[in-house]
Amino acid sequence: GPDFRLAALRVREHQTTRRFSKMSCLRLIVRPLVRGLTFPKRNTIIYSKSDVSAQRFTFCVLPYLKTFRQCSSSAVGEQKAEDSFLKWLLLLIPATTFGLGTWQVQRRKWKLKLIEDLQSLTTAEPISLPLDPMELKTLEYRRMRVRGRFDHSRELYILPRSLVDPEREAREAGRLASSAETGANVVTPFYCTDLGVTILVNRGYVPRQKIDPRTRQKGQVAEEVELVGVVRLTEARKPFVPQNDTGNNHWHYRDLEAMAKATGSEPVFIDADFASTVPGGPIGGQTRVTLRNEHMQYIVTWYGLCIATSYMWYMKFIRKIPI
């Protein structure tokens, strides 16, 4: 009858609705993922409550997925920018070490030229000693010839000092300790008979047990002598060097004004050469002209660091090999 037909029609409609509902849900979920998170068209037909849930998923969850995708892309971009900054920042290390190595090359050339100039001054023909202080300041390491007598009663002692021996110093270069015996340099007032002034002459080195002049009476020259020496200027006290003890006659650095005041002489100072040495007296020639020259070690160090860091930078940022 009519009731039976109506019931059958409702069952068929319910089955069709359920079938379309399942298909629409699958279509609404899969199609945006396949098409790059595109939203459903406006004319999408909603057949049931399950279709409403699918639509809510499409409009609520998928935008968050899209935002996550954009954030991931942004994070990747920021990471690339950070890597690029680190890449050029680390390139400063080999560039800096290369610059320091080149600077040491120039420093070594300057030091070798300075040593050559000093050696030429200390081997040049001696000249007469000028008394003009301004002229003397331009003549350090210049050889001078003077004639006169020593006043041994007013000796000064610069200590501790070791004997200047270039051959021994070359053998012991780089060692932490030296085998040289320590002593003192004997500075004696010298009255220049041809100039009529008293200057200070560093006669040379004596060992510690010979500092007392009574132990070297044979070397205390009394007659008039002619000697050649090298002009030296006053020097500033270096760090960790003690102050001069004028009361005990212990001098640790050349302070010409204080020395001249203590002996009543002019603030003129010369180092007597080795030829002035007499038996039993101080050993002359105590002018040290070998300047410290370790620039070759620095050159090797800086250029070595430049090569090593350049290789690491190349492997890390060019070859992309993890280090």
Side-chain angles (χ1 to χ4, degrees):
D3 295 337
F4 176 77
R5 292 178 195 169
L6 181 61
L9 183 60
R10 288 179 178 177
V11 169
R12 187 179 301 172
E13 182 181 359
H14 179 68
Q15 291 176 349
T16 304
T17 302
R18 289 184 61 187
R19 183 170 64 251
F20 278 104
S21 175
K22 292 179 180 179
M23 292 179 63
S24 61
C25 277
L26 182 63
R27 183 171 62 252
L28 289 173
I29 294 174
V30 173
R31 187 173 61 183
L33 297 178
V34 174
R35 295 185 178 180
L37 296 178
T38 57
F39 295 107
K41 297 180 179 179
R42 292 184 178 180
N43 59 355
T44 301
I45 300 175
I46 306 300
Y47 293 95
S48 66
K49 292 182 178 181
S50 61
D51 293 336
V52 174
S53 300
Q55 188 179 27
R56 288 177 179 175
F57 173 81
T58 303
F59 285 97
C60 297
V61 177
L62 291 185
Y64 287 104
L65 294 177
K66 186 175 182 181
T67 303
F68 175 76
R69 192 180 195 183
Q70 293 174 349
C71 291
S72 300
S73 301
S74 177
V76 171
E78 292 178 359
Q79 182 66 31
K80 289 183 178 180
E82 183 178 350
D83 290 344
S84 178
F85 173 76
L86 184 64
K87 172 182 177 181
W88 298 114
L89 178 65
L90 292 180
L91 188 61
L92 290 175
I93 298 176
T96 302
T97 52
F98 178 81
L100 290 172
T102 305
W103 177 62
Q104 287 297 328
V105 170
Q106 302 302 321
R107 289 276 297 173
R108 183 173 181 270
K109 291 180 180 179
W110 168 79
K111 185 62 69 65
L112 291 175
K113 180 67 168 56
L114 181 60
I115 293 174
E116 182 182 352
D117 292 342
L118 292 179
Q119 290 176 344
S120 64
L121 287 175
T122 56
T123 57
E125 282 295 317
I127 62 175
S128 299
L129 178 68
L131 295 180
D132 184 4
M134 299 303 296
E135 185 178 357
L136 280 173
K137 288 183 179 180
T138 64
L139 296 175
E140 188 171 20
Y141 293 104
R142 190 69 169 86
R143 299 180 76 206
M144 301 291 170
R145 188 187 304 276
V146 292
R147 186 175 185 84
R149 292 186 176 88
F150 288 108
D151 182 359
H152 301 292
S153 64
R154 292 183 290 172
E155 284 183 348
L156 305 178
Y157 308 108
I158 303 178
L159 72 170
R161 291 293 185 271
S162 58
L163 180 65
V164 173
D165 185 354
E167 294 182 0
R168 176 186 55 78
E169 292 174 358
R171 291 193 306 268
E172 296 181 351
R175 296 183 184 178
L176 296 178
S178 174
S179 61
E181 181 184 9
T182 60
N185 285 349
V186 179
V187 179
T188 308
F190 185 84
Y191 178 75
C192 300
T193 54
D194 54 344
L195 298 175
V197 295
T198 301
I199 64 173
L200 297 169
V201 176
N202 176 14
R203 296 186 62 199
Y205 168 83
V206 293
R208 186 173 294 275
Q209 63 272 18
K210 293 288 185 179
I211 293 179
D212 190 344
R214 292 173 296 182
T215 62
R216 45 183 170 82
Q217 288 295 327
K218 186 179 179 180
Q220 302 295 80
V221 181
E223 63 271 12
E224 184 175 306
V225 296
E226 183 178 83
L227 58 85
V228 174
V230 175
V231 174
R232 303 304 307 273
L233 302 180
T234 192
E235 62 181 347
R237 185 175 70 90
K238 297 179 180 179
F240 309 111
V241 173
Q243 293 284 356
N244 290 326
D245 186 358
T246 58
N248 293 320
N249 197 12
H250 290 171
W251 302 79
H252 302 288
Y253 61 96
R254 282 192 316 275
D255 185 348
L256 298 192
E257 293 295 334
M259 287 180 166
K261 183 178 179 180
T263 57
S265 63
E266 296 294 327
V268 179
F269 190 104
I270 65 173
D271 286 338
D273 63 6
F274 183 76
S276 66
T277 305
V278 295
I283 302 173
Q286 299 303 301
T287 305
R288 195 182 301 273
V289 294
T290 6
L291 301 179
R292 184 178 179 182
N293 184 15
E294 298 179 352
H295 296 289
M296 181 55 71
Q297 300 178 22
Y298 300 144
I299 291 171
V300 173
T301 300
W302 289 123
Y303 278 150
L305 286 174
C306 177
I307 294 172
T309 53
S310 296
Y311 174 77
M312 294 173 65
W313 186 89
Y314 173 78
M315 298 300 289
K316 171 69 177 177
F317 297 105
I318 305 299
R319 296 288 302 276
K320 307 294 184 180
I321 297 177
I323 298 178

